[in-house]
């Protein structure tokens, strides 16, 4: 038995994760063998594939950005859930811990939905571990809280320390570099500027974030606001879309009347990013997100190996 295993209770706690970032946190803590259920979106690490899926989507995630936006707004206006839970399966899995969230009801099963299911007679006596990140410090605290609740606080401290160290290394190396003006676009139709922890990542990578605010949910923006910002660099990182899908969803941007007028477009500084794996998952891979930004903004100084796999220059713009 490893030291980590001996630190965990003899009952071998069973864990279900309702969102991808939770699964990645559990993996980072060395608790992956305790994971008995996952969300339909949990795709990292790849070894998660055979783990039973306890959630499903009530919207068509393969539709266009505009269609998804309209479908989400329609369901929310009717008080309908965007996701569902496989109740019978969850009952069979008998988790000791269910990791859920309050950050975004559009991105994953809501806390209210989880509580509603647990109120039913499912025979489940699980502790809810609720992730509630808005800024990077919240993400680190969530990791610590999960590790503490499960009984391995030292493992959480070690993981958080290692993640912060990697971010600090990027920040120090970039400290004297120029700051390009950056627009982080989280949705293309309609336009949305990335908020929450993303502006912090831009700052760490030595960029100047123009749209979206630290600790505030990503906000809708107008074409006029994009024109007024006139960024040096545009990074498109739609929530839930991988790199190939992101490149497809660049089409609405190219039809904007202002598009060819923008400095970033004229200089060829427009980039598509795998928003599904990075930036939009508040877990350990936010570090790779900062690395991606560092490679994009300062290619002469940074090369982590993400280019071509996790991000690409979008040309012709």
């Amino acid at each position: 038995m490893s030291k980590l295993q001996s630190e965990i209770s003899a009952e071998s706690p069973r864990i279900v994760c309702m969102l991808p970032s939770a699964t990645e946190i559990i993996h980072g803590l060395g608790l992956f063998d305790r994971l008995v259920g996952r969300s339909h979106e949990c795709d990292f690490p790849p070894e998660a594939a055979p783990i039973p899926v306890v959630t499903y989507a009530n919207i068509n995630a393969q539709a266009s950005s505009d269609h998804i936006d309209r479908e989400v707004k329609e369901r929310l206006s009717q008080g309908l859930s965007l996701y569902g839970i496989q109740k019978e399966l969850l009952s069979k899995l008998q988790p000791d811990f269910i990791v859920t969230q309050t950050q975004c009801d559009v991105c994953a099963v809501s806390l209210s939905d989880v509580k509603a299911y647990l109120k039913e007679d499912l025979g489940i006596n699980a502790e809810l571990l609720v992730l509630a990140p808005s800024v990077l410090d919240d993400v680190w605290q969530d990791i610590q809280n999960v590790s503490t609740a499960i009984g391995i606080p030292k493992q959480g401290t070690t993981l958080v320390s290692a993640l912060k160290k990697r971010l600090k290394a990027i920040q120090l190396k970039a400290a004297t570099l120029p700051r390009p003006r950056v627009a982080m676009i989280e949705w293309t139709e309609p336009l949305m500027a990335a908020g929450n922890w993303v502006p912090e990542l831009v700052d760490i990578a030595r960029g100047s974030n123009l749209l979206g605010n630290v600790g505030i949910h990503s906000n809708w923006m107008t074409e006029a606001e994009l024109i007024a910002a006139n960024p040096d660099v545009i990074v498109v990182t739609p929530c839930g879309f991988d790199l190939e899908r992101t490149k497809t969803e660049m089409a609405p941007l190219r039809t904007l009347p202002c598009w060819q007028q923008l400095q970033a477009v004229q200089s060829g500084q427009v980039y598509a990013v795998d928003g599904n794996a990075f930036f939009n998952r508040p877990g350990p891979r936010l570090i790779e997100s900062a690395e991606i930004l560092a490679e994009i903004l300062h290619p002469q100084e940074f090369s982590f190996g993400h280019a071509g796999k996790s991000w690409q220059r979008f040309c012709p713009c």
Side-chain angles (χ1 to χ4, degrees):
M1 180 179 292
S2 69
K3 181 180 179 181
L4 172 59
Q5 289 174 322
S6 66
E7 290 176 347
I8 303 173
S9 67
E11 288 77 12
S12 298
R14 300 166 62 81
I15 304 169
V16 166
C17 290
M18 294 291 186
L19 67 160
S21 61
T23 291
E24 296 182 22
I25 288 172
I26 292 301
H27 178 256
L29 290 171
L31 295 170
F32 196 67
D33 62 335
R34 311 293 180 180
L35 189 64
V36 297
R38 64 176 176 89
S39 83
H40 62 286
E41 296 179 313
C42 294
D43 55 10
F44 185 88
E47 292 78 13
I51 294 174
V53 176
V54 299
T55 68
Y56 58 90
N58 288 317
I59 57 175
N60 179 13
Q62 301 307 312
S64 67
S65 297
D66 179 53
H67 182 90
I68 292 173
D69 175 68
R70 285 187 278 110
E71 190 175 357
V72 166
K73 289 176 178 176
E74 182 178 354
R75 289 193 67 87
L76 291 178
S77 70
Q78 296 175 6
L80 300 175
S81 297
L82 300 179
Y83 303 96
I85 298 174
Q86 305 281 6
K87 294 187 290 184
E88 291 185 5
L89 175 58
L90 188 61
S91 181
K92 289 179 181 178
L93 294 174
Q94 285 295 303
D96 299 297
F97 297 95
I98 297 176
V99 190
T100 184
Q101 57 89 41
T102 60
Q103 207 279 330
C104 179
D105 289 351
V106 175
C107 299
V109 174
S110 68
L111 175 61
S112 60
D113 283 344
V114 176
K115 286 183 174 180
Y117 280 112
L118 292 183
K119 283 182 179 179
E120 299 183 23
D121 187 18
L122 300 181
I124 298 174
N125 184 27
E127 180 178 349
L128 292 182
L129 305 181
V130 182
L131 309 182
S134 293
V135 296
L136 288 178
D137 279 347
D138 294 339
V139 178
W140 315 144
Q141 189 60 56
D142 280 343
I143 293 173
Q144 190 65 64
N145 290 345
V146 168
S147 66
T148 299
I150 295 175
I152 51 166
K154 291 182 180 179
Q155 194 73 6
T157 301
T158 299
L159 176 58
V160 169
S161 177
L163 295 174
K164 286 183 176 181
K165 184 177 180 180
R166 290 172 62 188
L167 280 184
K168 190 64 175 180
I170 296 171
Q171 194 170 32
L172 290 174
K173 186 174 181 179
T176 61
L177 299 175
R179 281 189 182 273
R181 300 162 60 254
V182 183
M184 301 292 296
I185 297 180
E186 189 171 304
W187 203 250
T188 58
E189 192 177 22
L191 287 171
M192 176 181 280
N196 295 307
W197 48 83
V198 173
E200 293 179 278
L201 297 176
V202 174
D203 181 68
I204 288 169
R206 195 66 179 178
S208 178
N209 186 72
L210 298 179
L211 301 163
N213 299 298
V214 175
I216 304 297
H217 281 306
S218 300
N219 59 279
W220 302 114
M221 65 176 177
T222 65
E223 182 181 352
E225 289 173 314
L226 184 58
I227 294 173
N230 197 23
D232 301 314
V233 179
I234 294 175
V235 180
V236 183
T237 172
C239 184
F241 292 171
D242 63 15
L243 181 56
E244 291 306 310
R245 182 72 187 280
T246 297
K247 290 190 291 184
T248 299
E249 294 299 327
M250 298 287 278
L253 295 177
R254 299 178 68 181
T255 63
L256 293 173
C258 73
W259 187 246
Q260 295 299 328
Q261 305 170 27
L262 297 172
Q263 172 63 31
V265 176
Q266 293 177 1
S267 61
Q269 295 295 304
V270 179
Y271 300 89
V273 173
D274 183 344
N276 181 55
F278 306 101
F279 292 97
N280 301 303
R281 293 189 181 186
R285 285 200 292 174
L286 286 183
I287 309 306
E288 281 82 357
S289 303
E291 293 175 351
I292 288 169
L293 280 176
E295 288 183 336
I296 289 173
L297 301 182
H298 305 290
Q300 73 281 9
E301 296 292 338
F302 294 97
S303 179
F304 295 101
H306 299 295
K309 296 184 295 184
S310 302
W311 67 269
Q312 291 181 8
R313 186 191 298 268
F314 188 72
C315 291
C317 296

